[in-house]
Amino acid sequence: MKKIFLFVLTTALMSLFLAGCSSSSDSSVVKEPDTITIAWLPNTVGEDLKEARDEIGKVIAEATGKKVDHKLTTDYAITIEAIASGTAQLAWVGAQQYIEAHEKNDKVLPLVVSSGDSGTLDDAMYYSRLVVKKGNEDQYKSGDGFSIDNIAGKTMSFVSTSSTSGCKVPSSGIVAHFSQQDQWKELKQEELLEGGGDKFFSQVIFGGSHQLSLVNVLTDKAEVAAVDDVDVASYVELTAGTENRPGAVYTVRENADPPFDKLAGAQYVLIQSTPVLNAPVVANTGVLKQETIDAITRALTSDEVTNNPKIFIAEGGKGFFNQPQCFLTVEDDWFEPIRELSK
């Protein structure tokens, strides 16, 4: 009888304890800040993109009734730490930064991603590219196309170790390609991040942003660079070939904003291009009430936002998302293909 009493008492105490634990994530007890802070990656903090950032902040402010601040970061790691710690409650980050923030704090969850031009998730992607300066592309030609066989021993520019399209995807592709060769069959992704005489690359540098990674190859600081298409689209134009296909030639526009303001006319050529899942707007759900999260999600997926030309810009405009796209809700498991790249 005494054992039964102890069992019942223990069960009751455990129930109370578990109830207490679950209530800590209850929206009614979340103490959210009066000001919502949005963290932005280094690729998105340029003065030329201020109007686009402010317009998204305005939507969030109107949806929640709260003031919105923008945290402009100078390093991917700072953005990840800001959203994981809750000092920023929202962020627009790449898939890899989302995964790293979620690993630090599983309360960080995706709200929406921009669709593809179809208005669905089927083509919700952008491109990770390996590029070389125009004039050097013959070193990488193979038959009628291009190959990355000759990038071994070159100077390489990545964006950041936490960049999806500027490091994770291209390094995974390089390992997949070269591990088929006896000399590199044991090659690991982490070995690509450091250069030297006995390394895969002779030297490795990090631009810190897609824009500066591209500048590295245009100014001969690197022979090959990893660069996505969306973060440099407003500075360059396609002048030969097919968009985002090996062999495509891009030219820096006249009157391009910094950091390309002294590089007008400079050209680069794609030698490899890989599709990447679109970047999510993420929230730290541990520091925002569910009704606040729902209000933000409803606002971002509304027709009003879809038809806002300061958020979904026309071709040639300054911003982050393009017409005729829209925001769509996503769950954590949508990013599994990117997680698989690290296994």
Side-chain angles (χ1 to χ4, degrees):
M1 186 65 187
K2 185 176 180 180
K3 290 182 177 179
I4 294 175
F5 171 77
L6 287 173
F7 172 77
V8 171
L9 178 62
T10 301
T11 302
L13 289 172
M14 285 296 294
S15 298
L16 288 170
F17 174 74
L18 291 173
C21 288
S22 60
S23 66
S24 65
S25 60
D26 190 311
S27 183
S28 63
V29 299
V30 172
K31 184 173 174 56
E32 62 183 18
D34 295 330
T35 297
I36 291 178
T37 299
I38 306 174
W40 296 91
L41 290 168
N43 308 313
T44 59
V45 303
E47 185 63 23
D48 56 320
L49 298 170
K50 183 177 186 303
E51 184 179 46
R53 291 191 302 270
D54 288 346
E55 192 66 15
I56 291 172
K58 180 180 174 184
V59 169
I60 303 300
E62 291 177 350
T64 62
K66 293 177 177 292
K67 181 183 176 185
V68 171
D69 276 349
H70 298 281
K71 182 179 180 65
L72 309 184
T73 70
T74 56
D75 190 282
Y76 279 59
I78 297 174
T79 315
I80 293 168
E81 186 57 34
I83 189 67
S85 67
T87 54
Q89 297 78 46
L90 295 174
W92 182 48
V93 295
Q96 180 61 27
Q97 298 98 61
Y98 160 63
I99 289 167
E100 292 183 24
H102 182 78
E103 287 175 352
K104 287 174 173 283
N105 182 350
D106 63 7
K107 296 289 187 183
V108 177
L109 293 170
L111 300 184
V112 298
V113 296
S114 56
S115 73
D117 287 351
S118 69
T120 72
L121 292 177
D122 293 343
D123 55 347
M125 63 183 70
Y126 60 112
Y127 289 87
S128 167
R129 296 98 50 90
L130 292 179
V131 308
V132 300
K133 189 175 182 178
K134 183 79 171 73
N136 297 332
E137 69 272 24
D138 285 353
Q139 301 175 46
Y140 309 95
K141 282 188 174 176
S142 176
D144 294 333
F146 286 82
S147 168
I148 62 172
D149 282 343
N150 285 335
I151 67 171
K154 303 294 187 184
T155 55
M156 176 70 196
S157 174
F158 288 114
V159 174
S160 161
T161 56
S162 293
S163 172
T164 309
S165 54
C167 188
K168 187 63 68 174
V169 169
S171 60
S172 175
I174 291 168
V175 169
H177 180 87
F178 282 91
S179 61
Q180 305 302 313
Q181 303 176 11
D182 286 343
Q183 180 183 1
W184 302 110
K185 63 182 179 182
E186 302 297 331
L187 184 66
K188 306 295 183 189
Q189 287 188 45
E190 53 269 27
E191 295 170 359
L192 300 178
L193 306 181
E194 183 179 358
D198 60 342
K199 305 292 185 182
F200 182 84
F201 291 120
S202 59
Q203 183 182 5
V204 177
I205 58 178
F206 294 89
S209 69
H210 287 271
Q211 292 91 333
L212 291 177
S213 187
L214 179 54
V215 167
N216 282 340
V217 85
L218 293 177
T219 57
D220 297 318
K221 292 179 182 174
E223 295 171 283
V224 182
V227 182
D228 74 11
D229 59 328
V230 291
D231 285 303
V232 300
S234 62
Y235 308 94
V236 303
E237 56 188 351
L238 178 70
T239 47
T242 303
E243 196 88 57
N244 290 318
R245 293 289 182 269
V249 181
Y250 291 82
T251 304
V252 176
R253 300 175 191 271
E254 296 293 331
N255 303 316
D257 286 309
F260 297 97
D261 50 323
K262 294 181 173 61
L263 292 168
Q267 294 184 309
Y268 60 95
V269 181
L270 272 58
I271 61 171
Q272 187 179 70
S273 182
T274 306
V276 183
L277 294 175
N278 273 354
V281 175
V282 302
N284 186 323
T285 63
V287 293
L288 290 176
K289 294 181 178 178
Q290 189 59 49
E291 51 264 39
T292 302
I293 295 168
D294 291 342
I296 294 169
T297 304
R298 280 196 303 272
L300 292 176
T301 55
S302 67
D303 289 343
E304 185 177 357
V305 166
T306 300
N307 297 319
N308 185 332
K310 293 182 180 178
I311 295 179
F312 287 96
I313 59 173
E315 185 176 356
K318 296 280 187 180
F320 308 119
F321 311 103
N322 300 310
Q323 299 173 4
Q325 301 165 1
C326 62
F327 286 126
L328 299 172
T329 57
V330 287
E331 306 286 340
D332 172 80
D333 59 5
W334 194 68
F335 299 96
E336 281 305 317
I338 301 299
R339 283 194 176 93
E340 290 294 325
L341 295 178
S342 297
K343 294 180 179 176

